[in-house]
mmCIF file of all heavy atoms in Angstrom:
data_model
loop_
_atom_site.group_PDB
_atom_site.id
_atom_site.type_symbol
_atom_site.label_atom_id
_atom_site.label_comp_id
_atom_site.label_asym_id
_atom_site.label_seq_id
_atom_site.Cartn_x
_atom_site.Cartn_y
_atom_site.Cartn_z
ATOM 1 N N ILE I 1177 1.679 -27.413 0.619
ATOM 2 C CA ILE I 1177 1.517 -28.221 1.826
ATOM 3 C C ILE I 1177 2.481 -29.393 1.748
ATOM 4 O O ILE I 1177 2.454 -30.171 0.788
ATOM 5 C CB ILE I 1177 0.067 -28.742 1.937
ATOM 6 C CG1 ILE I 1177 -0.927 -27.571 1.826
ATOM 7 C CG2 ILE I 1177 -0.151 -29.511 3.235
ATOM 8 C CD1 ILE I 1177 -2.283 -27.992 1.325
ATOM 9 N N HIS I 1178 3.339 -29.525 2.748
ATOM 10 C CA HIS I 1178 4.364 -30.561 2.672
ATOM 11 C C HIS I 1178 4.805 -30.984 4.066
ATOM 12 O O HIS I 1178 4.507 -30.314 5.069
ATOM 13 C CB HIS I 1178 5.570 -30.058 1.870
ATOM 14 C CG HIS I 1178 6.147 -28.772 2.387
ATOM 15 N ND1 HIS I 1178 7.150 -28.717 3.324
ATOM 16 C CD2 HIS I 1178 5.842 -27.474 2.091
ATOM 17 C CE1 HIS I 1178 7.441 -27.463 3.595
ATOM 18 N NE2 HIS I 1178 6.662 -26.680 2.856
ATOM 19 N N LYS I 1179 5.516 -32.101 4.136
ATOM 20 C CA LYS I 1179 6.105 -32.528 5.401
ATOM 21 C C LYS I 1179 7.109 -31.490 5.863
ATOM 22 O O LYS I 1179 7.801 -30.871 5.057
ATOM 23 C CB LYS I 1179 6.813 -33.873 5.230
ATOM 24 C CG LYS I 1179 5.907 -35.047 4.922
ATOM 25 C CD LYS I 1179 6.734 -36.328 4.809
ATOM 26 C CE LYS I 1179 5.855 -37.531 4.509
ATOM 27 N NZ LYS I 1179 6.654 -38.786 4.420
ATOM 28 N N ASN I 1180 7.207 -31.311 7.208
ATOM 29 C CA ASN I 1180 8.158 -30.312 7.683
ATOM 30 C C ASN I 1180 9.592 -30.810 7.685
ATOM 31 O O ASN I 1180 10.521 -30.029 7.881
ATOM 32 C CB ASN I 1180 7.764 -29.774 9.062
ATOM 33 C CG ASN I 1180 7.628 -30.864 10.099
ATOM 34 O OD1 ASN I 1180 8.083 -31.991 9.915
ATOM 35 N ND2 ASN I 1180 6.980 -30.538 11.209
ATOM 36 N N ASN I 1181 9.818 -32.087 7.449
ATOM 37 C CA ASN I 1181 11.152 -32.617 7.157
ATOM 38 C C ASN I 1181 10.980 -33.977 6.493
ATOM 39 O O ASN I 1181 9.905 -34.586 6.547
ATOM 40 C CB ASN I 1181 12.041 -32.696 8.413
ATOM 41 C CG ASN I 1181 11.437 -33.544 9.505
ATOM 42 O OD1 ASN I 1181 11.286 -34.745 9.349
ATOM 43 N ND2 ASN I 1181 11.072 -32.921 10.621
ATOM 44 N N TRP I 1182 12.023 -34.442 5.868
ATOM 45 C CA TRP I 1182 11.901 -35.621 5.003
ATOM 46 C C TRP I 1182 11.534 -36.896 5.755
ATOM 47 O O TRP I 1182 10.941 -37.815 5.188
ATOM 48 C CB TRP I 1182 13.193 -35.843 4.230
ATOM 49 C CG TRP I 1182 14.366 -36.267 5.088
ATOM 50 C CD1 TRP I 1182 15.255 -35.444 5.713
ATOM 51 C CD2 TRP I 1182 14.763 -37.605 5.412
ATOM 52 N NE1 TRP I 1182 16.182 -36.174 6.409
ATOM 53 C CE2 TRP I 1182 15.914 -37.510 6.244
ATOM 54 C CE3 TRP I 1182 14.276 -38.876 5.081
ATOM 55 C CZ2 TRP I 1182 16.565 -38.635 6.748
ATOM 56 C CZ3 TRP I 1182 14.933 -39.993 5.583
ATOM 57 C CH2 TRP I 1182 16.059 -39.866 6.409
ATOM 58 N N HIS I 1183 11.845 -36.972 7.063
ATOM 59 C CA HIS I 1183 11.566 -38.207 7.791
ATOM 60 C C HIS I 1183 10.355 -38.080 8.712
ATOM 61 O O HIS I 1183 10.126 -38.944 9.549
ATOM 62 C CB HIS I 1183 12.797 -38.619 8.614
ATOM 63 C CG HIS I 1183 13.204 -37.633 9.656
ATOM 64 N ND1 HIS I 1183 14.005 -36.555 9.376
ATOM 65 C CD2 HIS I 1183 12.912 -37.562 10.979
ATOM 66 C CE1 HIS I 1183 14.203 -35.866 10.478
ATOM 67 N NE2 HIS I 1183 13.551 -36.442 11.467
ATOM 68 N N SER I 1184 9.569 -37.002 8.581
ATOM 69 C CA SER I 1184 8.434 -36.816 9.478
ATOM 70 C C SER I 1184 7.336 -37.840 9.174
ATOM 71 O O SER I 1184 7.280 -38.440 8.100
ATOM 72 C CB SER I 1184 7.870 -35.405 9.357
ATOM 73 O OG SER I 1184 7.102 -35.271 8.184
ATOM 74 N N MET I 1185 6.443 -38.000 10.133
ATOM 75 C CA MET I 1185 5.345 -38.962 10.015
ATOM 76 C C MET I 1185 4.048 -38.290 9.576
ATOM 77 O O MET I 1185 2.962 -38.730 9.907
ATOM 78 C CB MET I 1185 5.146 -39.653 11.373
ATOM 79 C CG MET I 1185 6.359 -40.419 11.864
ATOM 80 S SD MET I 1185 6.846 -41.745 10.725
ATOM 81 C CE MET I 1185 5.455 -42.861 10.931
ATOM 82 N N ALA I 1186 4.157 -37.201 8.822
ATOM 83 C CA ALA I 1186 2.971 -36.485 8.371
ATOM 84 C C ALA I 1186 2.084 -37.389 7.519
ATOM 85 O O ALA I 1186 2.558 -38.199 6.729
ATOM 86 C CB ALA I 1186 3.387 -35.255 7.563
ATOM 87 N N SER I 1187 0.782 -37.227 7.692
ATOM 88 C CA SER I 1187 -0.181 -38.022 6.955
ATOM 89 C C SER I 1187 -0.448 -37.425 5.581
ATOM 90 O O SER I 1187 -0.812 -36.252 5.469
ATOM 91 C CB SER I 1187 -1.493 -38.102 7.743
ATOM 92 O OG SER I 1187 -2.538 -38.605 6.949
ATOM 93 N N THR I 1188 -0.275 -38.243 4.545
ATOM 94 C CA THR I 1188 -0.602 -37.796 3.197
ATOM 95 C C THR I 1188 -2.082 -37.475 3.083
ATOM 96 O O THR I 1188 -2.481 -36.519 2.420
ATOM 97 C CB THR I 1188 -0.207 -38.867 2.171
ATOM 98 O OG1 THR I 1188 1.212 -39.072 2.218
ATOM 99 C CG2 THR I 1188 -0.599 -38.449 0.761
ATOM 100 N N ASP I 1189 -2.929 -38.264 3.751
ATOM 101 C CA ASP I 1189 -4.370 -38.005 3.729
ATOM 102 C C ASP I 1189 -4.698 -36.651 4.346
ATOM 103 O O ASP I 1189 -5.571 -35.930 3.856
ATOM 104 C CB ASP I 1189 -5.117 -39.111 4.475
ATOM 105 C CG ASP I 1189 -5.148 -40.424 3.712
ATOM 106 O OD1 ASP I 1189 -4.899 -40.402 2.485
ATOM 107 O OD2 ASP I 1189 -5.413 -41.464 4.336
ATOM 108 N N ASP I 1190 -3.998 -36.299 5.433
ATOM 109 C CA ASP I 1190 -4.229 -34.999 6.057
ATOM 110 C C ASP I 1190 -3.867 -33.867 5.104
ATOM 111 O O ASP I 1190 -4.606 -32.891 4.966
ATOM 112 C CB ASP I 1190 -3.402 -34.862 7.341
ATOM 113 C CG ASP I 1190 -3.971 -35.671 8.499
ATOM 114 O OD1 ASP I 1190 -5.150 -36.062 8.423
ATOM 115 O OD2 ASP I 1190 -3.228 -35.911 9.477
ATOM 116 N N MET I 1191 -2.717 -33.999 4.446
ATOM 117 C CA MET I 1191 -2.293 -32.964 3.512
ATOM 118 C C MET I 1191 -3.258 -32.856 2.333
ATOM 119 O O MET I 1191 -3.602 -31.757 1.886
ATOM 120 C CB MET I 1191 -0.865 -33.239 3.038
ATOM 121 C CG MET I 1191 0.180 -33.068 4.124
ATOM 122 S SD MET I 1191 1.885 -33.215 3.516
ATOM 123 C CE MET I 1191 1.969 -34.983 3.193
ATOM 124 N N LYS I 1192 -3.688 -33.988 1.847
ATOM 125 C CA LYS I 1192 -4.633 -34.003 0.732
ATOM 126 C C LYS I 1192 -5.951 -33.354 1.127
ATOM 127 O O LYS I 1192 -6.560 -32.606 0.342
ATOM 128 C CB LYS I 1192 -4.865 -35.448 0.285
ATOM 129 C CG LYS I 1192 -5.767 -35.579 -0.934
ATOM 130 C CD LYS I 1192 -5.884 -37.046 -1.350
ATOM 131 C CE LYS I 1192 -6.768 -37.179 -2.579
ATOM 132 N NZ LYS I 1192 -6.874 -38.602 -3.011
ATOM 133 N N ASN I 1193 -6.383 -33.572 2.370
ATOM 134 C CA ASN I 1193 -7.636 -33.000 2.837
ATOM 135 C C ASN I 1193 -7.552 -31.482 2.955
ATOM 136 O O ASN I 1193 -8.495 -30.765 2.593
ATOM 137 C CB ASN I 1193 -8.007 -33.598 4.193
ATOM 138 C CG ASN I 1193 -9.358 -33.121 4.684
ATOM 139 O OD1 ASN I 1193 -10.385 -33.333 4.044
ATOM 140 N ND2 ASN I 1193 -9.358 -32.453 5.842
ATOM 141 N N VAL I 1194 -6.404 -30.975 3.437
ATOM 142 C CA VAL I 1194 -6.232 -29.524 3.525
ATOM 143 C C VAL I 1194 -6.264 -28.902 2.135
ATOM 144 O O VAL I 1194 -6.881 -27.854 1.911
ATOM 145 C CB VAL I 1194 -4.918 -29.168 4.247
ATOM 146 C CG1 VAL I 1194 -4.650 -27.665 4.166
ATOM 147 C CG2 VAL I 1194 -4.963 -29.613 5.705
ATOM 148 N N ALA I 1195 -5.594 -29.538 1.169
ATOM 149 C CA ALA I 1195 -5.568 -29.015 -0.193
ATOM 150 C C ALA I 1195 -6.956 -29.034 -0.828
ATOM 151 O O ALA I 1195 -7.324 -28.116 -1.567
ATOM 152 C CB ALA I 1195 -4.589 -29.818 -1.036
ATOM 153 N N ALA I 1196 -7.720 -30.067 -0.539
ATOM 154 C CA ALA I 1196 -9.057 -30.189 -1.119
ATOM 155 C C ALA I 1196 -10.066 -29.267 -0.440
ATOM 156 O O ALA I 1196 -11.076 -28.893 -1.043
ATOM 157 C CB ALA I 1196 -9.534 -31.632 -1.027
ATOM 158 N N ASN I 1197 -9.781 -28.894 0.812
ATOM 159 C CA ASN I 1197 -10.681 -28.037 1.586
ATOM 160 C C ASN I 1197 -9.866 -26.898 2.208
ATOM 161 O O ASN I 1197 -9.590 -26.902 3.417
ATOM 162 C CB ASN I 1197 -11.379 -28.841 2.679
ATOM 163 C CG ASN I 1197 -12.159 -30.013 2.131
ATOM 164 O OD1 ASN I 1197 -13.264 -29.858 1.640
ATOM 165 N ND2 ASN I 1197 -11.563 -31.207 2.201
#
Side-chain angles (χ1 to χ4, degrees):
I1177 307 155
H1178 55 91
K1179 294 181 180 181
N1180 57 16
N1181 58 66
W1182 68 271
H1183 62 276
S1184 77
M1185 300 300 292
S1187 167
T1188 298
D1189 288 342
D1190 285 343
M1191 292 186 288
K1192 184 177 181 179
N1193 184 60
V1194 172
N1197 302 280

